[in-house]
Amino acid sequence: MGGWGWAALLLLPVLVIYWPALQYGLIWDDPLWYQQGQGRSAFEPFVSLPTYQFYRPLSLLYNRQFVSAEGVVNAPLLHALQIAAHGIATLLLAPALAALGVERWTARCSALFFAIFPLSFQAVAWQAPQGPHVVLWLLLAVLAAHHYQRLRRNRFLLFSLLAYIVALLFQESALPLVFLFFWLAAGEGRRADRRRWPLLYLALAGLYLLIWLNVPRRSDVTGAGFQINVLAYLLQGIVFPLARPAASELHEWTPAALAAVFAVAGAALALGAWRAQGWRVSLLAVLWIGAGLGPAWVGLSWDYVAVGERLFYVAAPGIALLWASWAAQAFTAQRLAPRALGGAVLLGVVWFSLQHLRDFQNLYAAGTHHLQRAVAVLAERPGERLLFVNFPDRFELRPPYYPLGFWGLTLAPPVATLSDFTRALTGPVSAEDESLAAFLTGAEARAAWPYRVDLRGVNSAPEVLVETARRVDRIFISEYQADGTLRLREAGAVRAAAPDSAARAAFGEQAQLVSASVREGDRITLHLVWRALKAFGYDETIFVHVWRGDEFVRSADGDSLAELVPLYAWSPGSEIEDVRELDPHGLPPGTYTVRVGLYRRSDGGRLPARAADGSRFPDDAVTVGAFQVH
């Protein structure tokens, strides 16, 4: 296969896997993070900023370029450049490995495995991580240094040094990979006096480290290193096709035992790579992995690492090279047994990676589409205050893909409001918002959902929900669908009752039905406005029945506000706007009527329903509207 054909083979899966990320918008971040250093000179990020977690001035300046004067972040362009950086790094990896002394088919298989490395999904599909840019510039530096060695043209050395500086200023993860330039020089076999040029890179790395250690920044991120669970987490990413099938069996093991098992498996892989490709390739893979993952183990805490699958990205070329050393035998081995083994590894890694990436693509799509819907609702209602109930903070694959860590999506953590996302994506006009959780509401649907979810906001009793609802304009609830998607729907509102307003029906002495309407659409929307007169007991609830002539069709019984608020929590003197949905799919064509009322769960008995003139409705059910099914 020619160079262009191989490039197409590498880029095609990258585009298929990551193209949907163009629609993901902003995820995870506090959207205000992009405005760090706003109004400061371009020089100041290179000195210090009080918000620094790490010293990454070029990353900060880069992200600031995508924020408009109104504070709107160009998320699609950020995603596109993230995907492009990964795609270009994929194309550069094979020639860079060849420059470092790796045989052609091993380098090609490495590039393929790197393109579809499943633990890179967070690093590429999330718009914020710097890993793809670091690896891109690092590979450019290696290739330029290789050309300098071959041609002795100083311009190649200058470009290489500048590219390495760019990688360092994007993220400190480029620092330990300075060894690549010494490896490159040693591989050429030149005289010692012609191999001193890598000392220039070492000097740059030392200068950067000195600055990194002394620039003021937050001290609560780094420093808690050498934790055994962090080590086990990182080691499982090296042997990922072996760790995943055994995840359920290994889940109860201690981090120390897991670290030992994964270390042994990794050592076996390295020895096999040594046997298949020679000690230089095996050692290069091990050193690259160590340089990529070592700083995380040395300097980061478990709380940080557990949600940081992106930390594998800089080590991904080394991990890919380790597995490619086995897979390349499918093309290079003379005997049948190693060729068969290489083919099995090649197909197994590709199949496993694509399966993993498909699952993560579905997970990210479900979450980000839901967040985009919330952003649209907030943008459509400026000046209002909205309550979001059971909105996801984060959710992960169930069961987890690996024994350690969080394997899912952090969507919208509570440190940011949903209106922050709206202003960062659509402009300064937005409703304000609050988030609460109601663990019991929708619990069965969440238990059956393909993902385990953590909700935004604290768990709140119905009385708290009512009190909160009285100071907001509308309530929206997240519903968890069996197919793994989410729906955001309006649940209603609570407000003070209008004095002396007419009512369509009265139910005993406890409540009145003030108004009702039925709206047709893909789903039938029912708006019921109740007025609470006296306190209910714990037994009463609402029934909503659908009839076709004299035939009962289906019901949508349950408590008000999407099951969030039972009737006993209604406050006398309040109006409760209860928005319900009826699914007409599967109903034969015809005209359907909707009847509502109140009943007791314990015995099914209905509260008497009377019209304004005192007459009693048949069956104590009030017909509130009709809809057509065509």
Side-chain angles (χ1 to χ4, degrees):
M1 184 182 294
W4 287 107
W6 188 254
L9 180 63
L10 291 176
L11 285 181
L12 181 60
V14 170
L15 293 177
V16 170
I17 293 164
Y18 293 109
W19 193 260
L22 295 176
Q23 306 299 319
Y24 286 174
L26 297 179
I27 53 178
W28 192 329
D29 295 305
D30 175 356
L32 302 179
W33 180 85
Y34 288 92
Q35 300 183 39
Q36 285 187 93
Q38 197 80 358
R40 297 173 182 260
S41 69
F43 173 73
E44 285 183 87
F46 291 91
V47 181
S48 71
L49 283 177
T51 55
Y52 267 160
Q53 294 179 322
F54 304 95
Y55 180 66
R56 299 171 183 174
L58 203 56
S59 174
L60 189 148
L61 286 174
Y62 168 82
N63 284 305
R64 269 175 46 184
Q65 307 312 307
F66 303 94
V67 183
S68 72
E70 294 78 27
V72 177
V73 180
N74 192 337
L77 183 55
L78 272 169
H79 282 293
L81 292 174
Q82 195 83 338
I83 297 166
H86 179 57
I88 296 171
T90 296
L91 294 179
L92 294 177
L93 182 58
L97 289 175
L100 292 165
V102 177
E103 179 271 333
R104 183 183 67 162
W105 275 109
T106 306
R108 284 185 165 188
C109 288
S110 299
L112 174 62
F113 289 171
F114 174 72
I116 61 173
F117 182 56
L119 275 62
S120 289
F121 193 85
Q122 184 189 83
V124 182
W126 178 22
Q127 75 286 347
Q130 297 84 23
H133 300 282
V134 171
V135 173
L136 166 61
W137 286 99
L138 185 70
L139 295 177
L140 285 173
V142 168
L143 287 169
H146 174 61
H147 284 295
Y148 167 72
Q149 281 207 136
R150 290 177 56 245
L151 304 174
R152 311 310 295 180
R153 303 282 176 83
N154 288 336
R155 64 175 179 268
F156 289 113
L157 179 60
L158 178 61
F159 178 82
S160 179
L161 290 167
L162 289 174
Y164 185 57
I165 290 171
V166 170
L168 285 170
L169 294 178
F170 256 109
Q171 192 182 67
E172 64 282 347
S173 57
L175 183 68
L177 288 161
V178 70
F179 87 89
L180 290 173
F181 303 102
F182 290 90
W183 184 280
L184 185 64
E188 291 292 327
R190 296 182 181 275
R191 298 193 313 270
D193 62 337
R194 303 291 298 273
R195 296 204 301 264
R196 293 174 181 169
W197 58 268
L199 296 174
L200 296 171
Y201 299 86
L202 187 61
L204 288 174
L207 177 61
Y208 173 83
L209 180 60
L210 184 65
I211 297 172
W212 194 92
L213 291 173
N214 289 280
V215 166
R217 64 186 189 282
R218 288 176 51 186
S219 60
D220 58 343
V221 179
T222 60
F226 299 104
Q227 297 180 4
I228 191 65
N229 45 1
V230 172
L231 178 61
Y233 175 90
L234 298 174
L235 289 172
Q236 74 183 352
I238 301 171
V239 297
F240 64 99
L242 304 177
R244 168 68 182 98
S248 58
E249 289 77 13
L250 299 176
H251 185 69
E252 299 298 327
W253 287 32
T254 66
L258 291 173
V261 168
F262 295 141
V264 169
L269 283 174
L271 289 173
W274 186 333
R275 181 180 178 87
Q277 303 298 332
W279 69 270
R280 285 184 58 84
V281 172
S282 178
L283 181 59
L284 176 61
V286 170
L287 289 176
W288 199 316
I289 293 170
L293 298 181
W297 182 45
V298 170
L300 296 176
S301 68
W302 170 243
D303 289 341
Y304 190 97
V305 171
V307 296
E309 97 189 52
R310 64 193 179 279
L311 297 171
F312 289 102
Y313 191 90
V314 176
I319 298 173
L321 177 58
L322 192 63
W323 286 95
S325 297
W326 288 64
Q329 295 179 100
F331 306 99
T332 60
Q334 300 300 315
R335 294 183 294 114
L336 179 60
R339 286 176 70 90
L341 177 61
V345 170
L346 176 64
L347 293 176
V349 172
V350 169
W351 177 85
F352 174 82
S353 298
L354 293 179
Q355 181 192 52
H356 183 144
L357 290 164
R358 178 206 62 199
D359 292 345
F360 267 71
Q361 194 180 69
N362 292 337
L363 181 149
Y364 272 61
T368 56
H369 291 168
H370 192 60
L371 180 57
Q372 294 301 311
R373 176 59 185 147
V375 165
V377 167
L378 286 157
E380 291 165 359
R381 298 172 176 268
E384 295 188 12
R385 189 166 189 87
L386 309 180
L387 175 63
F388 290 87
V389 180
N390 287 353
F391 199 91
D393 163 8
R394 65 180 192 174
F395 52 93
E396 64 176 332
L397 294 165
R398 178 164 47 194
Y401 251 54
Y402 300 97
L404 287 170
F406 175 81
W407 300 97
L409 169 66
T410 301
L411 182 67
V415 295
T417 65
L418 298 179
S419 59
D420 286 337
F421 287 90
T422 304
R423 294 186 180 96
L425 287 168
T426 66
V429 177
S430 172
E432 300 298 329
D433 68 280
E434 295 184 44
S435 292
L436 288 178
F439 289 174
L440 292 180
T441 302
E444 289 187 9
R446 290 196 303 278
W449 206 46
Y451 312 116
R452 190 199 67 80
V453 62
D454 295 326
L455 303 177
R456 282 174 58 95
V458 297
N459 185 35
S460 302
E463 295 85 352
V464 175
L465 284 164
V466 168
E467 184 61 32
T468 306
R470 290 175 68 93
R471 63 174 187 265
V472 302
D473 296 290
R474 311 296 294 174
I475 303 169
F476 291 84
I477 187 168
S478 296
E479 295 183 332
Y480 295 77
Q481 310 294 302
D483 62 358
T485 60
L486 293 123
R487 286 190 69 240
L488 184 70
R489 78 171 183 90
E490 186 177 349
V494 178
R495 53 182 173 262
D500 302 325
S501 57
R504 291 187 59 169
F507 295 88
E509 297 181 349
Q510 288 103 322
Q512 296 173 331
L513 180 63
V514 177
S515 63
S517 64
V518 177
R519 187 175 70 242
E520 295 183 4
D522 185 56
R523 291 173 181 259
I524 307 302
T525 304
L526 177 63
H527 282 258
L528 304 173
V529 179
W530 305 90
R531 180 185 296 129
L533 302 176
K534 291 185 177 181
F536 281 91
Y538 287 90
D539 202 22
E540 291 89 357
T541 192
I542 302 167
F543 70 81
V544 175
H545 291 174
V546 178
W547 292 75
R548 186 179 184 218
D550 295 329
E551 177 189 4
F552 173 77
V553 176
R554 62 181 54 168
S555 66
D557 298 357
D559 292 328
S560 64
L561 303 175
E563 303 279 353
L564 291 170
V565 179
L567 274 59
Y568 72 78
W570 287 5
S571 299
S574 297
E575 278 187 357
I576 298 89
E577 182 180 349
D578 186 22
V579 180
R580 295 172 180 250
E581 291 184 343
L582 305 171
D583 187 359
H585 295 98
L587 294 178
T591 300
Y592 295 82
T593 58
V594 181
R595 305 174 188 175
V596 304
L598 305 181
Y599 75 102
R600 294 182 296 274
R601 291 187 179 91
S602 57
D603 59 10
R606 297 181 177 182
L607 273 67
R610 299 184 182 277
D613 60 5
S615 61
R616 193 162 178 175
F617 288 96
D619 296 324
D620 293 314
V622 182
T623 300
V624 295
F627 62 89
Q628 298 286 330
V629 174
H630 303 285

